[in-house]
Amino acid sequence: MGADVEMKDGDKKKETKEEEKKDEPVKALDVLEVLFENVALLEKSAASKGEPRFVAKVLRQTMAWRKKLTAQKLVDFLLASLDDSNPSKQSLVDLAGGEPSPAPPPPKPATPKRRSSRGKKQTEGDVDMVDAEGGETTATKDDTAGDANAIPPTPPTPAQNALPETEAYSHLLVLLFLLDANDPECKSASVAALNRLSQFNRRTLDALQARIVFYYSLAHERFGELAEVRPSLLALHRVAALRFDEMGQETILNLLMRNYLHYNMYDQAEKLRSKAQLPASRSNQQQCRYLYYLGRIRAIQLEYSDAKECLTQAHRKAPKLAKGFALELTKWITVVRLLLGEIPEKKDLTTAVSGGAAAQRALLPYLELTAAVRLGDLEKFRAVQEAHEAAFRADKTTNLVTRLRRNVIRTGLRRVSLAYSAISLDDVAQKLGLGEGDGDVEFVVAKAIRDGGIDATIDHDARTMHSSDATDVYSTGEPQAAFHARIAFCLDTHNEAVKAMRYPDKVKKGKGDGERKSAKDRDLEELAMHIMDEDEMDEF
Amino acid sequence: MADIATAKKTLDALKKAHNSGDAVKAASLLGTLKIAVSSFPALPPVFEQTKTAADELSIARDTFEMAVLHAVTSGNEAAAERDHAQLRPFYVDCRGLMPDSKLEPLITGLNLTRLLVQNRIAEFHVELETVPARVADSAHVAHAVALESDLMEGAYGKILQASMTPDALPAKEYAAFMASLALTVREEIAACIEKAYESVDAAAAARLMGCAPADVAAVASKRGWRGDGNGGFLFAEEKKAPSAEDIPAHELINQTLMYAKEMERIV
C-alpha cells in the first residue's frame, strides 16, 4: 500500500479542488484516496440534511473510478471504513474476495502531536474537511506513514465509519465490483444490500439506495432472472411512495416498466404507468428512460404521434456518451416514423449516427426497410422482412414491421397517383405487387382515398383511377398548422428550460472576512461545475 | 381435498357434450365444473404445492378452455372475454408447471379474432406482443394476423370471400366471428364507396359490397346516399361558394391567444 502512493507530504497542500478533475495527469491519484474522500463527502451530505449535491458528486466520482477498483483496494477500503461491529462488514469483505494490502512498515517514532499535525495537513487537501475534522484524525491501521515519501490516504474517521451512508456506499462499491466482474454473487450481494438498507429510513440514503436497487435489477437481468425481481420491486416502490422518496420512486418505476417490457407485457406496463404517481424532480437519465419506455408502449398501442414525440424527446435529452441507448432510440424512431407515413432521411440512418461503423451495421435492416417503404415495393419489403427477421426479433420490433405492409402499399399508391392522371386498376395492382385478387385493388384504392392518403376517384365501369389535380396548399390551413406545431415546440422548450434552472441553495450573506467570502466563491464555483458536469454521462 | 376424480369425469362429459353440440347440457356441466375447480388449492394465485398440483392445474385449464369454446360457439362475446381473462394466468404463469395445452393456439387465435371483430385494434396488438413465438407461428394466430392486415390495408374482398367459405377457416369456431366481421366490412366498404366514387350504379354497388341489391338499398337509405333515378347513386358534392364559415375561426383565435399568453410570460 505504501508503495504505490507517490505523494509527498508537502504536495498535499497544493491539492485543492484539482483532485476532482479526472484528467489530472501529473498526480497519480489512488483509488483509495478517492474513495475515502467520497466517504467524507457522504458525511457532509448527512450533516447538511440531504443536499443532493454531495451525494451526486460521490456517485459521479465513483462512476469515473469504477474501472480502477481491484479486489485488494476494495478490501482495504472496507476494512478501513466500516466499524468492526458493523454486521455487514465481514460478509462484504468475503464478497470482495481480495486480500488486504500488507501492512506498511512500522512508523518512525513520532510524537502523537506531530502525527496529528501531519494528519491535519493531510486533510487540508480536501479543503472542506477542515471544519469537519479538526484534530480528530485518529490513526487506524493504514494511517501510519512509512517514510516521508509514501503517505497513505487518510482513512475515514470512526464518526464517518458509523454512518449508515458509509455502509451503503460500501455495499454499492462491492456490488459494482462484482457486476463488472460478471460474478453471479452479485445477485445475492444486491439482495443482502437491500435487506440491510431497508432497516434504515433516512432521506440521505435515498440516492444510494436508488442506485443499489438499479444494480439489483441489472444483476438479475444479466443472469436471466428478471421475473423474480418483480414482486420485490413492487414492494420497494410502495415503500418509496410512502416515504416520499422521490428518487427511489422514479428509479423503481422505470425499473418496473423495463421489467414488464422485457417480457412484452405492454398492457401491464401501461396500467402501472397510468396509475403510479410520477414524482416531480426528475434526473435527466431517468427521464430519458421513462420517455423511451413510454414511447415503446405508445407505439405498440398504435398511437404513433405520441410515440414519436416521446422517443424524439428521449433522443434529444440523452447524454452524448449513451451511444447504445441512442442507437435503440434511432431504431424505434425510424419504425414509428415509417408507420406515420414519413420517410426518414437516409443520413439519419447512416452518417449522422454516432457510434461509427458498428452502429451503422446495426441500423442496416432499418435502412433497407426504409428503402423498401419509400419505393412502395411489396416484394422488396417482404424480402427485407424475411432477411432480417432475426434482427427485428431481437429488437422486439417484429410486429411493428409487419404493420408496415400497409404503409408500403399506401406509399406505392401515392407514387402511382402522382405519376398518372388516369390508370387502370389492373396496372395499379401490377405496380403494387398486389396480385390478381379480383376486386381487391379496388377496395384498397377506395380505402386509401377514404383515409385521405391519396386524392383520386375511381371509375367503376371503366376500372380506372383518376387522380385529382393538386390543390393549392397555401389556400388551405396547412401552413398555419405547420407553423403552429413549430411555435408550440419552441415555447415548450423555453418553458422547460426555465423550469430546469436552478439557483444555489444558500447565498451566504455578508461580505465578511476574506475566508468566508472565498468559501462562498468556492461553493458557487463547485455548483457551476456540478451543473456543467451533469451533462456528462455519469450514471450506469 | 381436491376431488380430482369427479372433476375429471365431469370434464370428459363436458367435452362430449360440447363436441356433440348440446349447448344446454354443456352449459350446466360447465357451471358445476367451475364450482368444483374453484376449490382446488393449487391454482393461481395461491399455487399451493399439493400432491395433485399438476392435475389440478391441467383440469382447471381445460375447464376454462372449454368455457371459452362454449362461449364462442354460443356467440356470447362478453363471456368469451371473461373466460379468456381467467384462462390467461394458466398460459402465462404456469407455463413450466405442466405440459402445454394443445388448444392454446386455437384459443389465442379466437381471442385475437374477437378483439378484431370488436374493433379493439390497439388491444389486439398489445395481445399479439404477449403471444410466445411458438404459438404465434401456428395457423390460428397467423390467420388472425392476416385478417387484421387485410382489414387495415383494405383488402375487403379477401375477407368477404373468407367469410363466405367456412372451409378455409382453421377451425369451425371462427364461423361465428366471421359473420359479424362481414357486417363490419360491409359498413367499411360503404363508407369507402362514398368517398371514392363519383357515381355508382346499383349492380356495381351490390357487387362491391358483396350483398344483394335489396341490402344495398337499405344501406343507402341509412347513409343518406342520393339516388340518380336509375337505381344508382351519386356522390359528388355540389361546390359550395367559399364563405366566411370556412375559416376555422375558433382554432385560430385559440392559437393566437396562446401565443400572446406565452410571450407575456417571457420576462
Side-chain angles (χ1 to χ4, degrees):
Chain A
M1 186 66 190
D4 44 353
V5 175
E6 287 141 321
M7 283 177 273
K8 290 194 186 315
D9 197 9
D11 288 346
K12 281 281 196 171
K13 286 208 196 94
K14 291 192 212 138
E15 286 177 60
T16 54
K17 263 190 278 359
E18 290 168 6
E19 259 181 340
E20 286 105 68
K21 290 221 177 88
K22 308 170 202 80
D23 47 351
E24 250 300 346
V26 180
K27 299 187 176 54
L29 284 172
D30 187 35
V31 176
L32 219 46
E33 181 70 47
V34 177
L35 293 181
F36 289 146
E37 186 195 319
N38 286 344
V39 172
L41 279 175
L42 283 174
E43 189 191 17
K44 270 202 82 178
S45 121
S48 69
K49 298 224 180 357
E51 208 183 281
R53 256 195 303 147
F54 301 110
V55 184
K57 188 159 153 196
V58 166
L59 289 172
R60 231 188 4 257
Q61 287 189 327
T62 315
M63 292 306 139
W65 287 86
R66 187 172 161 173
K67 293 193 184 55
K68 302 236 179 99
L69 269 182
T70 63
Q72 193 190 58
K73 299 256 165 64
L74 193 53
V75 172
D76 286 339
F77 173 72
L78 288 171
L79 290 171
S81 55
L82 293 177
D83 276 341
D84 283 331
S85 60
N86 199 312
S88 341
K89 178 168 177 179
Q90 193 49 47
S91 55
L92 282 177
V93 171
D94 288 337
L95 278 171
E99 286 301 314
S101 357
K108 288 193 194 134
T111 62
K113 204 159 143 215
R114 205 158 37 116
R115 221 199 294 158
S116 70
S117 72
R118 196 189 301 137
K120 199 169 183 176
K121 276 201 213 134
Q122 281 175 344
T123 61
E124 259 177 13
D126 200 337
V127 177
D128 297 344
M129 272 172 70
V130 168
D131 307 331
E133 288 204 54
E136 253 190 309
T137 323
T138 49
T140 57
K141 225 182 344 174
D142 298 306
D143 195 17
T144 55
D147 31 351
N149 287 343
I151 294 171
T154 321
T157 66
Q160 293 174 336
N161 286 1
L163 284 177
E165 279 86 3
T166 320
E167 191 181 337
Y169 187 58
S170 324
H171 276 282
L172 181 62
L173 282 176
V174 171
L175 202 49
L176 277 178
F177 178 68
L178 290 174
L179 263 176
D180 285 341
N182 253 337
D183 189 342
E185 286 289 315
C186 56
K187 287 182 292 179
S188 43
S190 57
V191 173
L194 279 179
N195 285 341
R196 177 83 179 126
L197 282 179
S198 62
Q199 297 168 3
F200 297 105
N201 186 2
R202 294 168 65 127
R203 294 283 67 77
T204 46
L205 279 176
D206 282 350
L208 289 171
Q209 189 168 3
R211 285 297 176 111
I212 293 183
V213 174
F214 175 80
Y215 287 117
Y216 163 68
S217 175
L218 181 64
H220 284 86
E221 186 175 342
R222 217 177 258 187
F223 291 97
E225 292 175 15
L226 204 48
E228 298 167 9
V229 166
R230 219 180 292 148
S232 40
L233 277 182
L234 285 167
L236 283 167
H237 186 246
R238 271 203 299 278
V239 168
L242 274 174
R243 292 182 182 169
F244 292 102
D245 172 6
E246 295 201 338
M247 212 174 313
Q249 259 182 297
E250 217 181 350
T251 318
I252 300 176
L253 185 63
N254 278 345
L255 286 174
L256 275 168
M257 282 175 67
R258 182 188 177 85
N259 202 316
Y260 285 128
L261 291 187
H262 184 84
Y263 290 101
N264 277 343
M265 298 159 81
Y266 284 95
D267 56 342
Q268 282 188 283
E270 173 58 20
K271 279 193 198 118
L272 172 69
R273 191 207 64 80
S274 55
K275 297 280 174 6
Q277 284 171 316
L278 295 176
S281 76
R282 329 279 311 267
S283 86
N284 194 30
Q285 282 84 359
Q286 296 297 339
Q287 202 167 6
C288 283
R289 286 196 182 96
Y290 176 75
L291 284 169
Y292 168 57
Y293 298 139
L294 185 56
R296 275 178 68 174
I297 296 177
R298 290 277 174 261
I300 299 291
Q301 287 180 329
L302 299 181
E303 308 209 8
Y304 300 129
S305 325
D306 278 347
K308 181 177 149 198
E309 206 182 292
C310 292
L311 291 169
T312 39
Q313 247 191 325
H315 191 75
R316 242 178 271 128
K317 289 194 176 188
K320 288 190 202 55
L321 286 179
K323 299 213 176 87
F325 185 60
L327 192 61
E328 275 298 307
L329 279 175
T330 316
K331 289 180 191 168
W332 277 83
I333 291 176
T334 314
V335 176
V336 171
R337 283 182 76 180
L338 286 174
L339 282 166
L340 272 174
E342 319 173 356
I343 315 283
E345 293 184 35
K346 185 166 171 186
K347 71 166 167 53
D348 286 342
L349 290 170
T350 50
T351 47
V353 168
S354 58
Q360 290 190 18
R361 255 200 310 277
L363 283 177
L364 187 62
Y366 295 89
L367 183 61
E368 292 189 5
L369 200 61
T370 315
V373 174
R374 192 174 67 86
L375 290 174
D377 190 346
L378 267 183
E379 259 311 305
K380 191 166 171 195
F381 174 72
R382 212 174 42 79
V384 170
Q385 206 182 355
E386 277 172 27
H388 295 286
E389 189 181 324
F392 291 140
R393 206 174 276 276
D395 290 336
K396 298 195 197 241
T397 48
T398 320
N399 289 324
L400 288 177
V401 170
T402 320
R403 288 187 220 169
L404 275 177
R405 197 183 128 93
R406 162 188 172 217
N407 290 73
V408 177
I409 296 180
R410 193 58 67 84
T411 321
L413 261 182
R414 203 177 302 153
R415 284 164 63 109
V416 167
S417 86
L418 282 177
Y420 292 83
S421 58
I423 176 173
S424 84
L425 288 174
D426 294 324
D427 283 338
V428 172
Q430 197 187 25
K431 284 192 193 303
L432 291 179
L434 271 179
E436 297 304 315
D438 33 315
D440 261 357
V441 173
E442 203 164 349
F443 289 124
V444 172
V445 174
K447 184 162 203 281
I449 297 174
R450 205 264 307 248
D451 290 342
I454 56 177
D455 216 354
T457 52
I458 308 179
D459 188 347
H460 181 78
D461 300 318
R463 286 184 64 79
T464 53
M465 176 176 95
H466 297 269
S467 313
S468 321
D469 297 324
T471 52
D472 180 16
V473 105
Y474 283 99
S475 67
T476 64
E478 273 189 40
Q480 172 63 26
F483 271 130
H484 177 71
R486 283 163 214 216
I487 295 174
F489 170 70
C490 289
L491 289 171
D492 272 340
T493 318
H494 175 260
N495 284 342
E496 279 199 22
V498 168
K499 278 188 220 160
M501 290 209 299
R502 246 175 298 183
Y503 300 92
D505 299 307
K506 290 187 297 232
V507 179
K508 292 196 175 78
K509 293 209 180 87
K511 308 279 172 70
D513 33 316
E515 192 190 306
R516 289 208 29 209
K517 180 157 193 254
S518 61
K520 169 179 149 189
D521 281 341
R522 275 192 303 267
D523 272 349
L524 285 179
E525 207 180 292
E526 206 181 277
L527 188 64
M529 263 193 43
H530 163 75
I531 292 181
M532 207 171 62
D533 282 348
E534 270 218 341
D535 283 345
E536 297 173 12
M537 223 296 267
D538 59 1
E539 295 186 25
F540 320 131
Chain B
M1 250 329 277
D3 200 356
I4 307 282
T6 9
K8 268 209 181 115
K9 274 207 287 273
T10 328
L11 185 62
D12 290 333
L14 174 62
K15 285 189 186 157
K16 262 207 287 285
H18 181 256
N19 286 340
S20 64
D22 188 350
V24 174
K25 182 147 181 268
S28 68
L29 280 173
L30 198 56
T32 29
L33 199 51
K34 274 191 190 172
I35 297 176
V37 161
S38 62
S39 66
F40 287 174
L43 303 184
V46 179
F47 278 119
E48 200 182 304
Q49 292 301 316
T50 62
K51 282 198 293 289
T52 52
D55 275 337
E56 290 172 20
L57 286 172
S58 68
I59 290 182
R61 187 184 63 191
D62 290 344
T63 311
F64 289 119
E65 283 178 351
M66 294 312 298
V68 171
L69 288 175
H70 176 78
V72 167
T73 40
S74 48
N76 189 345
E77 284 182 9
E81 184 170 351
R82 270 201 310 273
D83 291 323
H84 184 86
Q86 275 183 307
L87 186 53
R88 200 179 311 174
F90 289 93
Y91 286 151
V92 174
D93 296 328
C94 307
R95 201 165 282 282
L97 297 173
M98 51 181 172
D100 289 328
S101 157
K102 289 191 205 44
L103 290 175
E104 187 176 346
L106 170 63
I107 304 273
T108 319
L110 281 175
N111 188 45
L112 288 171
T113 319
R114 178 184 57 80
L115 285 172
L116 200 56
V117 166
Q118 290 172 339
N119 212 18
R120 288 149 74 170
I121 313 287
E123 290 181 40
F124 173 93
H125 282 285
V126 170
E127 276 292 320
L128 192 57
E129 287 287 329
T130 57
V131 164
R134 179 187 55 89
V135 175
D137 289 336
S138 71
H140 297 275
V141 176
H143 176 248
V145 170
L147 265 183
E148 193 265 342
S149 178
D150 288 338
L151 202 56
M152 284 297 120
E153 283 168 29
Y156 299 126
K158 272 199 216 133
I159 301 182
L160 283 179
Q161 226 175 15
S163 68
M164 306 289 197
T165 53
D167 301 326
L169 300 171
K172 61 175 173 22
E173 281 89 356
Y174 286 96
F177 288 135
M178 295 312 279
S180 25
L181 195 57
L183 277 175
T184 322
V185 164
R186 278 204 191 104
E187 288 287 310
E188 291 279 312
I189 297 180
C192 291
I193 290 178
E194 279 175 21
K195 289 282 166 54
Y197 293 87
E198 284 177 353
S199 70
V200 68
D201 60 15
R207 199 176 45 237
L208 279 173
M209 293 195 346
C211 56
D215 298 331
V216 172
V219 170
S221 55
K222 196 169 69 168
R223 285 179 164 268
W225 290 356
R226 288 180 305 130
D228 67 354
N230 289 353
F233 307 97
L234 290 170
F235 303 111
E237 292 171 355
E238 304 108 14
K239 300 280 177 218
K240 288 188 289 212
S243 70
E245 288 160 5
D246 286 342
I247 309 173
H250 274 283
E251 213 179 283
L252 284 175
I253 292 174
N254 280 335
Q255 280 177 2
T256 320
L257 281 178
M258 189 198 83
Y259 300 154
K261 187 175 72 165
E262 293 287 335
M263 297 302 286
E264 282 297 308
R265 275 204 201 144
I266 296 178
V267 174

